[in-house]
Amino acid sequence: MAQHPKGDFDLSRAVWQRAEGDTSEGAVEIAFVDDLIGMRNSAEPEGPVLVFTQAEWDAFVAGAQDGEFDLD
């Protein structure tokens, strides 16, 4: 279990998923465990996991949809 200030993200219960059709080695993977969301790099499955609360995740998704992170 990953100890985190936001709560315990139980890696043993994480079911990692990625965008449909993404077969790249370094894909972003997401797992929903209880009220926390984990994000990792599929190329490093034993590496670090970013942990988000639901409110943080919702803000991230909204920002992505609004183009907040576009590199243009």
Side-chain angles (χ1 to χ4, degrees):
M1 186 164 318
Q3 298 297 319
H4 197 278
K6 296 174 187 172
D8 294 331
F9 187 78
D10 188 351
L11 291 169
S12 70
R13 294 179 41 227
V15 177
W16 295 100
Q17 52 190 315
R18 59 174 75 183
E20 187 174 328
D22 188 347
T23 58
S24 63
E25 183 178 317
V28 171
E29 294 182 322
I30 305 299
F32 298 86
V33 178
D34 299 325
D35 59 346
L36 296 174
I37 297 95
M39 178 188 291
R40 72 177 185 183
N41 179 343
S42 65
E44 297 181 45
E46 301 302 320
V49 174
L50 298 176
V51 178
F52 299 89
T53 64
Q54 188 64 55
E56 291 168 333
W57 182 252
D58 291 345
F60 170 73
V61 171
Q65 290 172 335
D66 288 342
E68 185 177 333
F69 309 113
D70 290 354
L71 298 175
D72 298 330

